[in-house]
Amino acid sequence: MKLLNIALDGPAAAGKSTIAKLLAAKLSMIYVDTGAMYRAITYKYLQQNKPEDFEHLIKTTDLSLTYDEVKGQRVILDNQDVTDYLRENDVTNNVSYVASKEAVRTFAVKKQQELSAKKGIVMDGRDIGTVVLPDADLKVYMIASVEERAIRRQKDNEERGIDSKVDQLKQEIADRDHYDMNRKISPLKKADDAITVDTTGKSIENVIEEILTLVHSIA
Ligand code: DC
């Protein structure tokens, strides 16, 4: 099979990272979670008590992704592995704001494009098919109902030992989607040539199968 780049976009908690990870493993490709980059910058923003000068924040930021065979993608921020802090509520509730800033996006998109230059990447995010990889070999736009996404996030949180309530998660997810879809710079939207996959009520295996069929149709 030729080397491909696959772009996986969609709203919060639609199952993108679960699917992208499994898909990458099945296809011997590398999974790049771009949300983790925005989360790492948000983590730093919070550590520094929310400075409004994002240009300066970025200028003083060293961010890289490494890949561990067992643990998968790790995010190294200013020489520290911050991966385990990136799903904390405070980061989640501030990340859409930080990700809307031009300096932040320019920085992250450049890194993402460098990472995908060699191909063989499954990349998930919000603007991968529209901005980061407009020439991706396959673009999938993954959606699911807000109810189902909140329930999935709740299970996720339980496994990570994070306290949360479904109703509150529903509200947070809807707010984040609204913010991500309505920001000025590269908002979340389906690329014209992306294929929508609705994961509501489908098992992970079904979704993987559906996307693998798409991959095989182009490979
Ligand atoms: O996929 P995630 O929930 O980890 O993403 C966290 C936030 O980062 C999301 O609410 C918007 C932002 N994001 C973005 O703007 N562009 C991306 N390519 C990925 C994430």
Side-chain angles (χ1 to χ4, degrees), residues 9 12-13 16 33-36 38-39 87 95-96 99 105 112 124-128 153 176 180 183:
D9 289 301
K16 299 185 300 294
D33 167 7
T34 62
Y38 294 99
R39 286 174 180 270
R87 298 268 149 200
V95 64
S96 284
R105 300 211 71 78
Q112 291 154 16
D124 89 9
R126 304 292 188 286
D127 59 343
I128 311 305
R153 189 47 57 95
R176 201 139 63 89
D180 292 343
R183 69 176 174 228

Side-chain angles (χ1 to χ4, degrees), residues 50-198:
K50 305 189 174 182
E52 266 312 298
D53 187 347
F54 283 92
E55 296 264 354
H56 183 260
L57 185 78
I58 289 304
K59 256 190 216 140
T60 55
T61 294
D62 183 32
L63 184 67
S64 58
L65 302 182
T66 60
Y67 291 89
D68 180 291
E69 287 223 350
V70 181
K71 291 176 166 178
Q73 175 181 289
R74 308 299 294 175
V75 185
I76 314 298
L77 174 76
D78 301 330
N79 289 321
Q80 189 199 352
D81 185 334
V82 294
T83 318
D84 294 338
Y85 307 120
L86 301 182
R87 298 268 149 200
E88 285 174 1
N89 285 336
D90 215 13
V91 172
T92 301
N93 293 333
N94 284 275
V95 64
S96 284
Y97 175 68
V98 172
S100 71
K101 299 294 172 184
E102 186 168 11
V104 173
R105 300 211 71 78
T106 306
F107 173 81
V109 167
K110 184 165 177 271
K111 284 203 180 291
Q112 291 154 16
Q113 288 177 333
E114 283 165 7
L115 278 168
S116 47
K118 276 196 248 134
K119 289 219 168 193
I121 299 279
V122 181
M123 189 173 271
D124 89 9
R126 304 292 188 286
D127 59 343
I128 311 305
T130 52
V131 175
V132 181
L133 302 176
D135 298 325
D137 301 282
L138 175 66
K139 297 180 187 177
V140 173
Y141 192 74
M142 198 177 282
I143 57 169
S145 72
V146 178
E147 286 73 16
E148 186 151 330
R149 289 189 279 145
I151 292 166
R152 287 183 195 159
R153 189 47 57 95
Q154 167 78 354
K155 279 199 191 132
D156 233 36
N157 282 350
E158 260 172 37
E159 278 164 24
R160 290 172 206 265
I162 299 174
D163 198 29
S164 56
K165 306 240 172 333
V166 172
D167 278 348
Q168 193 186 339
L169 285 174
K170 232 163 105 175
Q171 191 57 51
E172 284 171 9
I173 287 171
D175 289 349
R176 201 139 63 89
D177 286 352
H178 182 79
Y179 207 105
D180 292 343
M181 285 171 172
N182 291 286
R183 69 176 174 228
K184 266 201 231 115
I185 313 165
S186 44
L188 165 65
K189 68 170 191 215
K190 178 182 170 295
D192 291 340
D193 51 350
I195 296 160
T196 299
V197 172
D198 187 346

Side-chain angles (χ1 to χ4, degrees), residues 196-214:
T196 299
V197 172
D198 187 346
T199 70
T200 312
K202 288 182 192 159
S203 69
I204 293 172
E205 292 73 26
N206 282 347
V207 177
I208 292 282
E209 231 171 82
E210 200 172 324
I211 298 178
L212 278 177
T213 306
L214 296 173

